């Protein structure tokens, strides 16, 4: 049965001087075209995950690319059977991906792209002089990662520069970075180059594009995504499960956010354990009086006001037709 909806994942590093006005324009376009998702607009560019009917998503892609600043934006498009978001958020932030690398402009220098088919060959051959480096956070690579990839113990991408000190022994190797959609690699690979690593590359379009163009071979587990799905299937060739339930220890690739909003940990949890623990990671969280009702998904909408950290301007959340 044909899936009527699309999920778009994209980013574009491009200077936006009128970011406040553009946020208003962009937000209005999304409302008028029945789109939902999370979009970040900053002085350095755009970053978004958007869902809607296929035809509405087509209009959105045309709209973004019609602006000369974003004409070369590459969209990863996945078919879906329903909306992947319950609401629309278009926010102004200092960066399009939170990092401690604001001084880096990937338009000026970044790691060379490795296309998915070429990356597939690297995974199959595993050359001794090549390192596959995952630049994502722990909760992301714990549920899925490429075979034999080097992962870093980081809770947030902003911690990446600190971990680079531990990679000094790899300076003579070819390093290929990867992340979900490519956005983190633009800055991570650029930072590695800045720190004296000379042979640095990045998987073009990230895990999602690799799944779309190379059937996801040798990606073990599932890919953590930032929409209602929480995780997405990538590997159509040799899928495996690499994560274990936080409660029972049994293999599972099902991810939830802890129902305690004061914790909100991203953890693997089986359906059985989810109901047993009311969606919580521990008895302490389960007994928390602010615990959110668990509906079996482990996904919770954030009820936050829009905030412009560049100007300190608050707005009421957009009201979207349900």
């Amino acid at each position: 049965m044909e899936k009527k909806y699309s999920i778009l994942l994209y980013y574009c590093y491009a200077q936006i001087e009128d970011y406040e006005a553009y946020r208003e324009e962009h937000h209005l376009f999304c409302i008028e075209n029945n789109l939902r998702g999370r979009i970040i607009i900053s002085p350095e560019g755009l970053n978004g995950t958007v869902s809607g009917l296929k035809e509405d998503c087509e209009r959105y892609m045309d709209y973004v690319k019609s602006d000369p600043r974003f004409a070369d934006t590459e969209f990863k498009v996945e078919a879906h059977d329903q909306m992947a978001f319950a609401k629309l958020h278009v926010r102004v932030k200092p960066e399009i991906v939170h990092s401690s690398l604001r001084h880096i402009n990937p338009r000026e220098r970044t790691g060379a792209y490795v296309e998915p088919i070429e990356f597939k060959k690297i995974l199959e051959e595993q050359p001794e002089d090549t390192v596959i480096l995952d630049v994502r956070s722990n909760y992301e690579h714990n549920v899925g990662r490429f075979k034999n990839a080097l992962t870093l113990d980081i809770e947030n991408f902003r911690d990446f520069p600190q971990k680079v000190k531990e990679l000094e022994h790899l300076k003579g190797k070819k390093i290929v970075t990867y992340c979900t959609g490519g956005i983190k690699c633009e800055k991570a690979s650029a930072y590695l180059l800045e720190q004296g690593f000379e042979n640095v590359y990045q998987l073009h379009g990230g895990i999602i594009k690799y799944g779309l163009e190379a059937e996801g071979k040798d990606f073990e587990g599932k890919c953590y995504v930032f929409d209602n799905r929480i995780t997405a299937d990538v590997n159509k060739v040799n899928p495996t499960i690499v994560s274990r339930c936080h409660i029972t220890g049994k293999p599972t690739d099902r991810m939830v956010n802890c129902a305690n909003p004061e914790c909100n940990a991203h953890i693997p949890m089986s359906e059985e354990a989810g109901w047993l623990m009311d969606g919580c990671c521990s008895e302490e969280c389960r007994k928390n009086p602010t615990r959110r009702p668990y509906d079996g998904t482990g996904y919770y909408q954030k009820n936050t006001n829009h905030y412009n950290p560049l100007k300190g301007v608050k707005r009421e959340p957009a009201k979207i037709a349900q």
Side-chain angles (χ1 to χ4, degrees):
M1 190 173 183
E2 184 182 2
K3 296 180 179 180
K4 297 181 179 180
Y5 293 84
S6 293
I7 301 174
L8 309 179
L9 179 65
Y10 72 95
Y11 67 89
C12 181
Y13 282 99
Q15 186 175 1
I16 305 177
E17 295 181 358
D18 56 342
Y19 53 83
E20 185 67 33
Y22 185 67
R23 192 218 79 89
E24 300 294 338
E25 174 198 317
H26 201 110
H27 190 196
L28 180 60
F29 183 92
C30 291
I31 292 174
E32 291 176 341
N33 287 275
N34 307 305
L35 297 165
R36 300 176 191 171
R38 296 192 185 101
I39 301 165
I40 296 173
I41 294 173
S42 89
E44 68 175 10
L46 303 175
N47 177 17
T49 307
V50 176
S51 73
L53 289 169
K54 285 185 177 181
E55 53 269 31
D56 294 330
C57 286
E58 289 288 343
R59 278 193 293 273
Y60 179 76
M61 289 187 283
D62 290 342
Y63 163 71
V64 172
K65 289 187 173 184
S66 68
D67 189 315
R69 294 174 294 185
F70 320 123
D72 60 352
T73 302
E74 181 177 285
F75 289 88
K76 276 74 75 175
V77 184
E78 297 181 84
H80 201 41
D81 53 7
Q82 60 185 341
M83 277 281 195
F85 291 94
K87 298 180 180 180
L88 169 68
H89 296 286
V90 184
R91 296 186 172 97
V92 167
K93 292 191 176 184
E95 300 173 277
I96 56 175
V97 62
H98 189 36
S99 75
S100 49
L101 303 171
R102 295 190 192 182
H103 66 288
I104 288 179
N105 181 357
R107 287 282 189 177
E108 296 176 354
R109 191 187 189 199
T110 191
Y113 288 147
V114 173
E115 296 302 326
I117 297 302
E118 183 183 354
F119 188 78
K120 179 182 177 182
K121 293 179 181 177
I122 293 174
L123 289 174
E124 292 172 342
E125 297 171 1
Q126 289 292 319
E128 291 185 5
D129 66 340
T130 301
V131 175
I132 307 299
L133 178 63
D134 192 321
V135 303
R136 300 173 303 154
S137 303
N138 291 335
Y139 66 87
E140 296 174 272
H141 62 66
N142 281 343
V143 75
R145 53 193 176 268
F146 282 110
K147 181 177 69 175
N148 297 325
L150 174 62
T151 59
L152 302 174
D153 181 14
I154 57 177
E155 296 299 321
N156 191 289
F157 182 57
R158 64 175 175 268
D159 301 325
F160 175 76
Q162 299 175 13
K163 288 295 177 178
V164 170
K165 298 173 185 177
E166 300 176 7
L167 305 178
E168 286 289 323
H169 63 290
L170 301 176
K171 279 194 171 179
K173 302 270 189 179
K174 175 180 179 179
I175 298 179
V176 185
T177 67
Y178 75 86
C179 58
T180 306
I183 187 171
K184 292 178 180 178
C185 287
E186 297 282 7
K187 286 200 171 185
S189 62
Y191 183 72
L192 288 170
L193 289 169
E194 182 182 85
Q195 296 303 303
F197 293 79
E198 298 179 354
N199 206 3
V200 181
Y201 299 80
Q202 58 179 307
L203 172 59
H204 190 198
I207 299 165
I208 298 301
K209 184 175 181 178
Y210 181 78
L212 293 170
E213 297 186 7
E215 297 187 305
K217 184 183 179 187
D218 291 330
F219 184 82
E220 300 175 332
K222 288 192 176 184
C223 181
Y224 190 96
V225 292
F226 300 88
D227 57 57
N228 289 19
R229 296 173 297 170
I230 303 182
T231 60
D233 291 319
V234 171
N235 194 329
K236 302 177 182 67
V237 180
N238 54 347
T240 58
I241 296 176
V242 297
S243 52
R244 292 184 175 272
C245 178
H246 182 76
I247 302 299
T248 68
K250 295 179 181 179
T252 183
D253 53 16
R254 181 177 178 274
M255 291 286 289
V256 304
N257 289 342
C258 178
N260 175 11
E262 297 176 8
C263 173
N264 206 45
H266 306 285
I267 51 173
M269 185 179 287
S270 66
E271 187 171 356
E272 176 188 6
W275 290 113
L276 179 68
M277 296 296 295
D278 293 320
C280 293
C281 68
S282 66
E283 279 297 328
E284 182 181 359
C285 284
R286 191 181 181 206
K287 293 175 181 176
N288 190 294
T290 65
R291 175 172 59 82
R292 298 169 290 201
Y294 178 67
D295 65 359
T297 66
Y299 180 86
Y300 307 96
Q301 293 291 332
K302 293 182 179 179
N303 295 317
T304 56
N305 288 341
H306 290 290
Y307 177 67
N308 181 344
L310 299 176
K311 292 188 175 183
V313 178
K314 291 185 177 180
R315 305 184 189 85
E316 291 301 315
K319 294 180 173 61
I320 307 299
Q322 300 297 312

